[in-house]
Amino acid sequence: QSKAAGRNVIRFFDPEMQALIADRVEMEEDLRNGLRNDEFFLCYQPQVDNQGRLLGAEALLRWRNPKRGMIPPSTFIPLAEDSGLIVSVGNWVMYAACKQLVLWAQQPLTSSLTLAVNVSAKQLRQMDFVDQIVEVLNVTGANPKRLKLELTESLMVNNIEDVIAKMTELKNIGVGFSIDDFGIGYSSLSYLKLLPLDQLKIDQSFVRDVLTDPNDAVIARTIIALGKSLNLQVIAEGVETLSQREFLDNYGCDAYQGYLFSKPVPADEFERDVVQTFEHF
Ligand code: C2E
Ligand code: MG
Ligand code: MG
Ligand code: MG
């Protein structure tokens, strides 16, 4: 039926395309229901300093659906972003993370840990983003100083003044900021120094081959030097081996996160196994 339409016309009844769209719509619906049905939970992955001491954790979202099983964030986060659901998902994450911080605050071994939470650019662009975070902090009673928001370089693409204003407001009440996946995005160095940041997180793609790929080694070293000159802590993610860690240590990297220390684990396992294995201040 579409023969006469030519090549540049969208064929509405392409069955493959239609199946893809139907899949997406269905997963979106499952995502929405999943939020109501308590199918989400957080896992926690330790972050350690260059002396091997536990600094805190990154909260990573997990979705277990009765019908689909475990769905990785690389599948459902982009879908949540496209559909706008990321705003409610992000709000759920913020509540869960702050409640965890309050529980940690009550135990001596965990009371000084920080918790890093991923925030998508779309969330940050919400007009009431700051109010939302402040409300979660107030309702839960979490200490803003223990909360660190991980943003990506995509936030620098537009309306940077608005981003700076929001970050500054939160920074003023003690919330920290990290740039996640640093080095793969659009960072403009002139914007970078305008943002009230605490940390740069070297993307794991540079860490993976840091020992064997000279380009990655140079990039990692440059990010560490940049962090030092901007007075920011530099953390490497995706550290899997001792040699990667030692290599980055020699460049002056401040902190690490990766399977070398632990994969992301549920809260009970984090408290039972991870916290116990580290030295404490
Ligand atoms: P990310 O924030 O860069 O998180 C790091 C990812 O690397 C996590 O994948 C983590 O499990 C994985 N990882 C940690 N250590 C290692 C390692 O040593 N080797 C390897 N190969 N991987 C390691 P995960 O949990 O699948 O999350 C993927 C991405 O999904 C995150 O990347 C983040 O962008 C997004 N995400 C996860 N949770 C949330 C959330 O609550 N909100 C938002 N907006 N995004 C989230
Ligand atoms: Mg992250
Ligand atoms: Mg990352
Ligand atoms: Mg990533």
Side-chain angles (χ1 to χ4, degrees):
Q1 82 276 9
S2 61
K3 205 167 155 199
R7 352 167 97 217
N8 297 322
V9 172
I10 297 167
R11 296 158 73 223
F12 284 100
F13 300 106
D14 182 327
E16 254 177 65
M17 181 71 87
Q18 210 171 26
L20 271 177
I21 292 171
D23 277 357
R24 273 181 80 91
V25 170
E26 199 185 319
M27 193 181 277
E28 228 177 87
E29 195 52 38
D30 288 349
L31 201 59
R32 205 184 309 272
N33 290 329
L35 217 44
R36 276 196 291 268
N37 299 339
D38 223 25
E39 293 170 11
F40 290 90
F41 61 100
L42 293 180
C43 277
Y44 300 86
Q45 187 177 35
Q47 301 184 328
V48 307
D49 73 5
N50 55 13
Q51 304 298 306
R53 289 173 298 210
L54 185 62
L55 296 172
E58 175 175 9
L60 292 156
L61 185 58
R62 297 293 177 259
W63 178 25
R64 186 187 288 116
N65 177 266
K67 180 179 71 190
R68 299 175 183 269
M70 288 293 297
I71 302 118
S74 55
T75 303
F76 71 81
I77 293 286
L79 190 69
E81 280 177 359
D82 293 347
S83 62
L85 270 173
I86 192 68
V87 176
S88 355
V89 170
N91 199 249
W92 183 92
V93 169
M94 205 60 69
Y95 268 102
C98 286
K99 284 185 214 162
Q100 190 61 59
L101 271 176
V102 171
L103 292 176
W104 284 352
Q106 297 160 359
Q107 301 294 329
L109 290 185
T110 50
S111 60
S112 63
L113 299 182
T114 59
L115 188 52
V117 175
N118 293 286
V119 171
S120 84
K122 199 164 201 168
Q123 274 176 275
L124 189 71
R125 256 181 255 128
Q126 298 297 303
M127 235 171 60
D128 59 351
F129 177 74
V130 172
D131 296 338
Q132 294 284 345
I133 303 286
V134 170
E135 182 171 323
V136 178
L137 288 166
N138 287 339
V139 169
T140 59
N143 182 349
K145 291 196 181 72
R146 302 276 175 253
L147 180 66
K148 185 163 58 195
L149 303 184
E150 290 195 1
L151 310 171
T152 60
E153 291 164 276
S154 58
L155 66 88
M156 294 194 210
V157 175
N158 53 34
N159 214 347
I160 189 85
E161 295 81 12
D162 177 62
V163 169
I164 294 170
K166 285 169 173 164
M167 287 175 71
T168 304
E169 242 184 285
L170 289 170
K171 178 82 182 179
N172 287 341
I173 60 167
V175 176
F177 288 95
S178 177
I179 298 283
D180 202 353
D181 307 335
F182 189 75
I184 62 166
Y186 316 81
S187 270
S188 144
L189 297 182
S190 57
Y191 286 167
L192 201 58
K193 68 171 187 210
L194 297 176
L195 301 174
L197 290 170
D198 301 276
Q199 184 186 68
L200 296 180
K201 197 167 196 183
I202 306 174
D203 188 66
Q204 50 183 287
S205 62
F206 306 121
V207 174
R208 191 178 307 124
D209 301 322
V210 79
L211 295 166
T212 50
D213 185 336
N215 292 323
D216 288 343
V218 166
I219 292 170
R221 188 163 69 184
T222 304
I223 294 174
I224 293 167
L226 177 67
K228 291 220 180 305
S229 65
L230 292 174
N231 230 333
L232 304 174
Q233 184 189 59
V234 178
I235 184 168
E237 70 176 356
V239 178
E240 296 184 353
T241 67
L242 192 57
S243 5
Q244 287 169 337
R245 183 207 159 152
E246 284 169 350
F247 194 86
L248 293 162
D249 249 340
N250 286 333
Y251 289 160
C253 193
D254 303 300
Y256 302 96
Q257 180 182 342
Y259 297 166
L260 174 63
F261 305 97
S262 167
K263 64 184 195 322
V265 293
D268 54 342
E269 199 175 323
F270 186 83
E271 285 157 31
R272 180 164 32 85
D273 302 335
V274 178
V275 171
Q276 312 296 331
T277 52
F278 286 94
E279 237 184 85
H280 299 281
F281 295 97

